[in-house]
Amino acid sequence: MNIMDFNVKKLAADAGTFLSRAVQFTEEKLGQAEKTELDAHLENLLSKAECTKIWTEKIMKQTEVLLQPNPNARIEEFVYEKLDRKAPSRINNPELLGQYMIDAGTEFGPGTAYGNALIKCGETQKRIGTADRELIQTSALNFLTPLRNFIEGDYKTIAKERKLLQNKRLDLDAAKTRLKKAKAAETRASSEQELRITQSEFDRQAEITRLLLEGISSTHAHHLRCLNDFVEAQMTYYAQCYQYMLDLQKQLGSFPSIYHCNNNQTSVAPIPSASSNVIGSSASTSTSGLVITSPSNLTDLKECSGNRKARVLYDYDAANSTELSLLADENKGTE
């Protein structure tokens, strides 16, 4: 027998097997043939594996969205990964905002309060951007990669063996059907032999599949360790960001709170606290629930505007005859 004859016979046998499986599957769906059920333990393992696969995919995809909200960037990274090439380094959003702030502060003048504050804010934003980049790298290595390895590795092997098990079951049930239909003794003997072979192959494949599926518990334990690594990476990231912003707040708090006028513009003092109701330039007065702040140098303010003004931020009802009732956004001024 030459190679061509062997290949033809093999193709014919494969076609016959495929047709037999198709007929058996169709008859099962139509309720015209019996189906060998898997044992309950194996069914539970199959269900657990499928559930693990579904939720692992969902968690993995949403983690990618969390770490990289830009869908175009995710697609680009996916393409580079499939091409086995490193994606080009890209400036992230905090770093870009930080650079804009630094450039603006430099333009306005580092010697000015606003310019200096912009520069300090920009430097902090860039540090947050660096921390964000480290979070992505650490999470991708310690969390996303193991999840992806399970989906693209272990579960693919399980799915392959599960498919083989399904085919072996169809072969077994088709052999059972042929044995029931066998009339002649010779045909019946041949069908019985075929049934013994298919039963043995089915049992062997069921055992292989079961051993693979029992490894899902180990997969869960491994993913739990990876989850702990992810939480630790997030904890480090948020702790860094909090410390950066705390330091920035202290730096900004050291800036003078009153800015003097420049040319013909009058600067308004910022609200010192949540209890402040009015920003003004009259003499510092404290009443029940009402605080009117005043600049430290009234002479400079007079030289700039010629009078003193106050803008009411909230309504206030006078408590006695020595106080004034005020309405929100009302302007008060004295010469």
Side-chain angles (χ1 to χ4, degrees):
M1 180 186 297
N2 57 37
I3 296 178
M4 183 173 293
D5 292 338
F6 175 79
N7 289 337
V8 170
K9 288 186 177 181
K10 186 176 184 302
L11 288 174
D14 291 342
T17 301
F18 177 80
L19 180 59
S20 175
R21 291 170 180 171
V23 170
Q24 178 65 28
F25 181 80
T26 303
E27 290 180 349
E28 287 176 358
K29 291 297 182 182
L30 296 175
Q32 298 175 355
E34 295 182 1
K35 175 182 176 181
T36 299
E37 299 293 340
L38 302 177
D39 66 79
H41 177 60
L42 187 56
E43 286 285 7
N44 289 335
L45 290 175
L46 287 169
S47 177
K48 184 178 181 180
E50 182 67 18
C51 183
T52 301
K53 179 253 187 183
I54 292 173
W55 284 110
T56 299
E57 284 183 330
K58 289 183 177 181
I59 292 171
M60 182 177 68
K61 290 179 180 178
Q62 192 56 39
T63 303
E64 291 173 344
V65 173
L66 174 68
L67 297 176
Q68 177 50 270
N70 188 338
N72 294 329
R74 292 200 304 274
I75 292 174
E76 181 182 358
E77 291 172 357
F78 175 79
V79 171
Y80 274 100
E81 181 181 349
K82 291 302 179 183
L83 295 176
D84 198 20
R85 294 174 57 186
K86 184 178 180 181
S89 179
R90 179 189 302 103
I91 187 171
N92 57 33
N93 290 330
E95 290 173 330
L96 185 59
L97 175 60
Q99 190 59 54
Y100 285 164
M101 286 182 169
I102 291 174
D103 293 344
T106 303
E107 183 75 17
F108 296 150
T112 65
Y114 183 43
N116 192 6
L118 278 172
I119 292 175
K120 291 185 180 300
C121 287
E123 291 171 346
T124 299
Q125 290 296 330
K126 294 188 79 170
R127 283 194 287 270
I128 291 175
T130 300
D132 185 69
R133 193 183 301 278
E134 292 173 353
L135 171 65
I136 292 175
Q137 293 174 348
T138 302
S139 300
L141 179 63
N142 297 335
F143 186 59
L144 288 177
T145 298
L147 298 187
R148 187 176 293 108
N149 287 342
F150 167 73
I151 296 297
E152 298 179 355
D154 293 350
Y155 188 79
K156 278 190 175 181
T157 302
I158 290 173
K160 178 182 176 182
E161 297 300 329
R162 182 179 184 176
K163 180 64 176 177
L164 287 174
L165 179 62
Q166 171 73 355
N167 290 337
K168 296 299 181 183
R169 186 197 62 74
L170 289 172
D171 292 342
L172 174 62
D173 289 336
K176 290 179 179 180
T177 300
R178 283 192 290 271
L179 178 60
K180 287 181 180 180
K181 294 179 179 180
K183 301 296 183 182
E186 183 178 349
T187 305
R188 188 171 183 79
S190 175
S191 297
E192 289 175 349
Q193 177 67 17
E194 180 187 13
L195 179 58
R196 284 193 294 271
I197 294 174
T198 54
Q199 182 69 61
S200 175
E201 291 178 348
F202 170 77
D203 292 340
R204 178 176 177 275
Q205 185 58 40
E207 181 65 15
I208 293 173
T209 306
R210 183 186 63 79
L211 291 174
L212 283 173
L213 291 171
E214 287 178 345
I216 291 294
S217 296
S218 299
T219 298
H220 284 191
H222 178 51
H223 287 181
L224 174 58
R225 292 192 294 272
C226 297
L227 182 62
N228 287 330
D229 291 339
F230 178 55
V231 171
E232 184 176 348
Q234 284 186 304
M235 182 183 67
T236 301
Y237 169 73
Y238 289 120
Q240 286 178 326
C241 292
Y242 173 77
Q243 188 61 50
Y244 292 153
M245 297 310 297
L246 191 64
D247 294 342
L248 175 62
Q249 186 184 46
K250 291 178 181 179
Q251 293 177 34
L252 295 182
S254 66
F255 287 0
S257 60
I258 305 300
Y259 301 121
H260 299 302
C261 62
N262 184 21
N263 296 332
N264 294 326
Q265 297 178 350
T266 303
S267 300
V268 181
I271 301 173
S273 69
S275 63
S276 298
N277 300 92
V278 179
I279 297 178
S281 57
S282 60
S284 178
T285 305
S286 177
T287 61
S288 58
L290 176 66
V291 177
I292 300 178
T293 60
S294 62
S296 60
N297 193 333
L298 294 178
T299 303
D300 292 342
L301 189 59
K302 282 185 177 182
E303 290 176 355
C304 295
S305 59
N307 57 25
R308 291 176 292 177
K309 294 182 178 180
R311 181 169 62 86
V312 181
L313 297 182
Y314 306 101
D315 293 345
Y316 177 73
D317 294 328
N320 51 52
S321 59
T322 63
E323 297 180 352
L324 294 176
S325 294
L326 302 173
L327 297 176
D329 294 328
E330 181 179 3
N331 291 319
K332 291 291 183 180
T334 60
E335 297 293 337

